[in-house]
Amino acid sequence: MLKKGNTQLYFLARVLIVLSLLVGCSTAPANTPANTGKAVETSALTQQAEQKQAEQMPTAQASAPALSESQAQTAQPAAMNHPSQSKPIPQKQEKEKNNASSQEQERETTKAVAAAERTVPVQAAAKATVDHAKTKKAQQASETSPAKKMVSFSIVADKERGTILSPTEVEIQEGDTVLDVLKRVTREKKIQMEYRGVKATAYVEGIDNLYEFDRGSKSGWMYRVNGVFPNKSAGIFPVKAGDKIEWLYTVDLGRDLGAKLE
């Protein structure tokens, strides 16, 4: 208010000066002593008004900042006490952040455990299915494929040479004869064997380089099936699964072997 009043006073002084000058110019000559005195007086009044205004303006300006500072001090606590301006305690923020992180980790762990628990039964069921399929396939294979027919086969020379081939399980084929089995075994075991004739006339002359008559006129090779010496050629005597076939060397037409020819 003080500043506004000073401004108005200054403005009125200026107006008075202008009006005085205009009146002087219109009523008297420009350089008369009276006019000059009035101008000097008016100028003095104007300077006094300006000086007074200059002295009063700092006071107004000083009081204005004081009022602003007081208002700022009054407003500052209100701003500080406002809930929207309050700052959270850093430790509390860190604690809340750690708690949230721990809870998130617990949730992830729980999800992983649940997924693993769901996976284990599935894997077990899949393995059981595969094992069952393998077992069923093996059973089907055993049912569809015929069982192997096996016989026991051995070769024994005289007392001087001893055993040439110990009892061995040998697979036989449909329609095999004793001679067929002898040929197959000696070929697989790389044992020398020589025979002559076919079927009913087949006759084994030597095995492992031990021939007939090598131990006298009554020596030679004989065969026995299941403890019996057949009186027919090995080329026509059939074999069956489970038979025990022996080739033996005799030095006395089989008497030394206990043969009872049929």
Side-chain angles (χ1 to χ4, degrees), residues 57-108:
M57 286 179 65
T59 304
Q61 292 177 0
S63 61
L67 181 60
S68 300
E69 183 178 357
S70 176
Q71 292 177 352
Q73 291 177 355
T74 305
Q76 184 176 2
M80 292 179 63
N81 294 328
H82 198 280
S84 62
Q85 300 295 330
S86 60
K87 295 183 180 179
I89 302 174
Q91 293 180 354
K92 187 176 180 181
Q93 280 186 336
E94 186 68 22
K95 185 176 180 180
E96 292 177 354
K97 183 178 180 181
N98 293 336
N99 291 338
S101 179
S102 300
Q103 292 176 359
E104 183 65 23
Q105 290 179 356
E106 290 179 0
R107 286 194 293 269
E108 293 297 331

Side-chain angles (χ1 to χ4, degrees), residues 1-223:
M1 295 293 291
L2 182 59
K3 184 178 179 180
K4 185 176 180 181
N6 292 333
T7 302
Q8 292 177 354
L9 180 60
Y10 176 75
F11 179 75
L12 290 173
R14 300 277 295 188
V15 169
L16 289 173
I17 293 169
V18 172
L19 290 175
S20 298
L21 291 175
L22 292 175
V23 171
C25 291
S26 61
T27 57
N31 293 326
T32 60
N35 291 337
T36 303
K38 290 181 180 180
V40 170
E41 184 179 356
T42 304
S43 177
L45 291 175
T46 302
Q47 290 178 358
Q48 289 178 1
E50 291 177 353
Q51 184 178 0
K52 188 176 181 180
Q53 183 182 7
E55 291 175 355
Q56 293 176 354
M57 286 179 65
T59 304
Q61 292 177 0
S63 61
L67 181 60
S68 300
E69 183 178 357
S70 176
Q71 292 177 352
Q73 291 177 355
T74 305
Q76 184 176 2
M80 292 179 63
N81 294 328
H82 198 280
S84 62
Q85 300 295 330
S86 60
K87 295 183 180 179
I89 302 174
Q91 293 180 354
K92 187 176 180 181
Q93 280 186 336
E94 186 68 22
K95 185 176 180 180
E96 292 177 354
K97 183 178 180 181
N98 293 336
N99 291 338
S101 179
S102 300
Q103 292 176 359
E104 183 65 23
Q105 290 179 356
E106 290 179 0
R107 286 194 293 269
E108 293 297 331
T109 303
T110 303
K111 291 180 181 179
V113 172
E117 290 177 352
R118 290 193 300 268
T119 303
V120 170
V122 173
Q123 292 178 347
K127 186 177 184 300
T129 303
V130 173
D131 293 341
H132 178 70
K134 289 182 179 179
T135 303
K136 187 175 181 180
K137 186 176 181 180
Q139 290 177 350
Q140 291 176 350
S142 62
E143 291 174 358
T144 55
S145 60
K148 293 181 179 181
K149 298 178 180 180
M150 308 297 291
V151 297
S152 174
F153 191 89
S154 63
I155 303 174
V156 180
D158 61 352
K159 294 180 180 181
E160 183 179 347
R161 297 282 296 273
T163 301
I164 298 174
L165 178 66
S166 299
T168 304
E169 290 293 317
V170 178
E171 183 180 358
I172 61 173
Q173 299 175 2
E174 190 68 26
D176 272 351
T177 64
V178 174
L179 182 61
D180 293 331
V181 178
L182 175 63
K183 291 191 293 184
R184 187 180 304 119
V185 171
T186 53
R187 183 170 58 251
E188 292 176 355
K189 302 295 183 181
K190 299 186 184 307
I191 300 173
Q192 184 272 339
M193 190 275 291
E194 186 177 350
Y195 74 99
R196 65 176 184 269
V198 292
K199 294 188 180 298
T201 61
Y203 179 78
V204 176
E205 295 180 342
I207 301 175
D208 197 27
N209 293 311
L210 178 62
Y211 284 82
E212 63 175 342
F213 308 135
D214 282 354
R215 300 292 187 263
S217 59
K218 297 180 181 180
S219 63
W221 287 98
M222 301 178 65
Y223 72 95

